[in-house]
Amino acid sequence: MSSSGRLAGKVCVITGAGSGMGAEATVRFSSEGAKVVACDLDVAAAKRAVEMAQAAGGKAIAVAMNVAKESEVREAVKVAVKTYGKIDCLYNNAGIFPSDDHSVTETEEAVWDKVFAVNVKGVYFMCKHGIPELLSSGGGSVINVASFVALVGCSVPQDAYTASKGAVIALTKSLAVQFGPRGIRSNAICPGPIETPLLSAWLLKEPAEKAKRLNRIPMGRFGQAADIVNMALYLASDESRWTNGAAMVVDGGITSNYF
C-alpha cells in the first residue's frame, strides 16, 4: 500500500465488493492508500477480495451486508466508523440484473420489486446512513453506479433494471444539489457492458446475444472492471473536487452509436 497514493488517508465503503467491479475497487482503492470496508451479501466473496487487497499491502475489512436491509446497512456504517474512525467515500456499486427482467408487459412484480430493493433502495439506505458520517468528516464523495441503459432505449429491454438505474442518476443529482454546499460531491458512473459475473452469467454464454451487443460498441470489446474502477478512483480522489452531479459515461462509445 502506498502512504502517498491518490486515496491516502481516506476511508471508503464499497458495496457489492465481493466480485466484479466491487472486488476490483477493493484491491485498487487499498493500493492507492485507502482503508476499505468491503461490504457484500456474500461475505466469503468479500473476504477473498479483502485478502487480495491485504496481500498487496492494503488495509481492508469485510462486512456481511444486504443493501436492501436498512438494519444491516446501518450496522455496516457503524462498523466502518468504529474500525477506521470516519468515512470519506461511499461507493454504491451493488446491483442486480435478473435474467427474468424483460419488458414491463412481461416482468413479474416480484422481479421488479427485487431489482428496485437492491439497485435503488440500497443506494438510499447507504446514503441515509453514510452521508451523515461524510458530513462529520468535513465532506467527501458519493459514487453511485448507474448504467448506460438509463440513457438510451433498448430493443431487448430489461425494464426494471433500466428504470432503477435511471432512478440512481436522478437521486445522484438531487444529492449533488443538497450536499454540495456542505462539501459532499455526488456523481454517478454509467458503465457500458462490462465483463463481470453479472454479465457473464448469461450474455457471454450466448454467442448470438454477445455478437448483437458487441457490434454496437465502437471500441470493439466489452469493458473490463478496471475501466470503471479507474473512473471511480478519480471520483473518490481529491482530483474530482469540482466534479459534482455528473453522470460519467464509460461505455466504449455504445451510447454514441446510431447504427
Side-chain angles (χ1 to χ4, degrees):
M1 181 193 73
S2 171
S3 60
S4 59
R6 294 166 71 187
L7 302 183
K10 297 189 183 299
V11 177
C12 301
V13 179
I14 301 173
T15 67
S19 64
M21 294 181 289
E24 177 79 19
T26 296
V27 176
R28 185 74 184 281
F29 276 35
S30 65
S31 75
E32 290 286 351
K35 297 173 182 176
V36 175
V37 180
C39 303
D40 204 288
L41 183 64
D42 183 350
V43 71
K47 287 179 178 178
R48 288 192 292 273
V50 164
E51 288 169 0
M52 288 189 290
Q54 292 173 339
K59 292 185 178 180
I61 61 170
V63 177
M65 186 188 72
N66 181 347
V67 294
K69 292 187 179 296
E70 184 172 12
S71 60
E72 295 188 19
V73 173
R74 183 191 298 114
E75 184 60 27
V77 168
K78 288 181 179 178
V79 169
V81 175
K82 182 178 180 179
T83 303
Y84 293 128
K86 61 171 183 171
I87 299 174
D88 300 289
C89 175
L90 303 176
Y91 187 174
N92 292 310
N93 167 76
I96 59 172
F97 183 83
S99 59
D100 48 0
D101 176 11
H102 303 296
S103 167
V104 291
T105 61
E106 303 166 354
T107 302
E108 295 295 330
E109 182 180 7
V111 174
W112 187 276
D113 288 346
K114 183 177 181 179
V115 170
F116 269 74
V118 175
N119 294 3
V120 183
K121 192 157 68 172
V123 175
Y124 149 57
F125 285 152
M126 280 300 301
C127 290
K128 178 179 180 179
H129 296 285
I131 284 178
E133 297 300 336
L134 296 185
L135 291 171
S136 295
S137 299
S141 177
V142 176
I143 306 167
N144 296 326
V145 178
S147 173
F148 80 103
V149 300
L151 306 173
V152 293
C154 183
S155 58
V156 186
Q158 54 272 356
D159 283 340
Y161 181 82
T162 296
S164 74
K165 293 304 186 177
V168 167
I169 294 175
L171 177 58
T172 299
K173 290 183 178 293
S174 183
L175 297 174
V177 173
Q178 289 180 66
F179 298 105
R182 302 175 70 181
I184 296 175
R185 57 196 187 278
S186 302
N187 296 283
I189 303 176
C190 300
I194 306 297
E195 288 190 26
T196 66
L198 192 64
L199 185 75
S200 301
W202 64 279
L203 179 59
L204 301 186
K205 293 180 180 179
E206 299 290 338
E209 294 299 319
K210 177 180 179 180
K212 185 187 302 180
R213 288 160 177 80
L214 195 57
N215 288 340
R216 302 285 300 172
I217 304 174
M219 297 299 289
R221 67 171 177 87
F222 292 114
Q224 301 295 320
D227 295 322
I228 305 307
V229 174
N230 285 337
M231 176 61 75
L233 179 59
Y234 161 73
L235 292 174
S237 77
D238 292 338
E239 297 161 23
S240 63
R241 58 188 176 273
W242 208 57
T243 304
N244 187 37
M248 313 292 277
V249 180
V250 187
D251 69 349
I254 193 171
T255 56
S256 298
N257 191 1
Y258 178 56
F259 283 112

